[in-house]
């Protein structure tokens, strides 16, 4: 979650708010990420708030769709909204992608690494030619 946010910030998209969708199987891991995401916002001169929303179970598909739809719709026309499909299970990424496109997110980001040798490394340590932030709103 940190690498896509860093890449988006480097690309000029610095959010005021980050909404994380969690599920009971990863909830413990999420708590360690929240301070990192807040720090990234601070480094880019934003007072970024991070909220975690947990679905009742990992396969609560309706809740997952509602999370993205409501988030995009609640932002309204005056705020830019980005959906990051990089982290999470494949079906969650597929749902996030579809919701981002269908409900009008301004950005639908995916952070592509060109080699598995960079998995687990932090964004600043990855050579720029080996990483690409794709905004699917620009390619579909």
């Amino acid at each position: 979650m940190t690498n896509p946010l860093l890449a988006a910030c480097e690309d000029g998209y610095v959010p005021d708010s980050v909404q994380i969708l969690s599920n009971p199987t990863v909830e413990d891991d999420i708590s360690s990420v929240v301070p990192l995401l807040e720090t990234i916002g601070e480094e880019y001169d934003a007072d970024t708030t991070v909220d975690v929303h947990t679905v009742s179970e990992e396969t609560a598909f309706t809740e997952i769709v509602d999370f993205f739809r409501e988030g995009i719709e609640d932002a309204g026309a005056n705020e830019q909204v980005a959906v990051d499909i990089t982290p999470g299970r494949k079906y969650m990424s597929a749902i996030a992608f579809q919701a981002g496109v269908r409900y009008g997110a301004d950005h639908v980001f995916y952070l592509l690494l060109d080699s598995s040798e960079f998995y687990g490394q932090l964004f600043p340590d990855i050579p720029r030619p080996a990483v690409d932030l794709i905004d699917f709103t620009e390619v579909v």
Side-chain angles (χ1 to χ4, degrees), residues 114-126:
D114 76 353
S115 170
S116 61
E117 90 179 75
F118 301 112
Y119 291 167
Q121 292 189 26
L122 295 176
F123 182 76
D125 299 331
I126 302 171

Side-chain angles (χ1 to χ4, degrees), residues 2-136:
T2 58
N3 282 348
L5 180 58
L6 279 164
C9 289
E10 285 288 313
D11 201 46
Y13 180 80
V14 182
D16 295 328
S17 173
V18 173
Q19 307 296 315
I20 297 173
L21 181 60
S22 181
N23 69 67
T25 64
V26 297
E27 205 166 20
D28 293 339
D29 298 327
I30 298 297
S31 62
S32 63
V33 175
V34 170
L36 295 172
L37 299 175
E38 292 170 338
T39 299
I40 291 168
E42 291 171 10
E43 290 298 316
Y44 287 88
D45 296 323
D47 186 21
T48 304
T49 59
V50 179
D51 294 308
V52 178
H53 306 271
T54 304
V55 292
S56 60
E57 60 184 320
E58 186 178 30
T59 56
F61 301 122
T62 301
E63 289 179 58
I64 296 168
V65 171
D66 289 346
F67 169 80
F68 288 104
R69 180 185 48 76
E70 291 170 6
I72 294 166
E73 290 175 351
D74 289 350
N78 296 330
E79 296 179 47
Q80 280 207 9
V81 176
V83 173
D84 178 19
I85 65 169
T86 310
R89 304 278 292 223
K90 287 181 185 178
Y91 63 84
M92 290 181 87
S93 295
I95 292 170
F97 177 88
Q98 175 64 20
V101 171
R102 181 175 184 185
Y103 300 115
D106 299 288
H107 306 281
V108 178
F109 289 130
Y110 178 74
L111 188 65
L112 175 67
L113 298 177
D114 76 353
S115 170
S116 61
E117 90 179 75
F118 301 112
Y119 291 167
Q121 292 189 26
L122 295 176
F123 182 76
D125 299 331
I126 302 171
R128 288 302 163 261
V131 65
D132 186 17
L133 181 67
I134 299 166
D135 185 349
F136 283 107

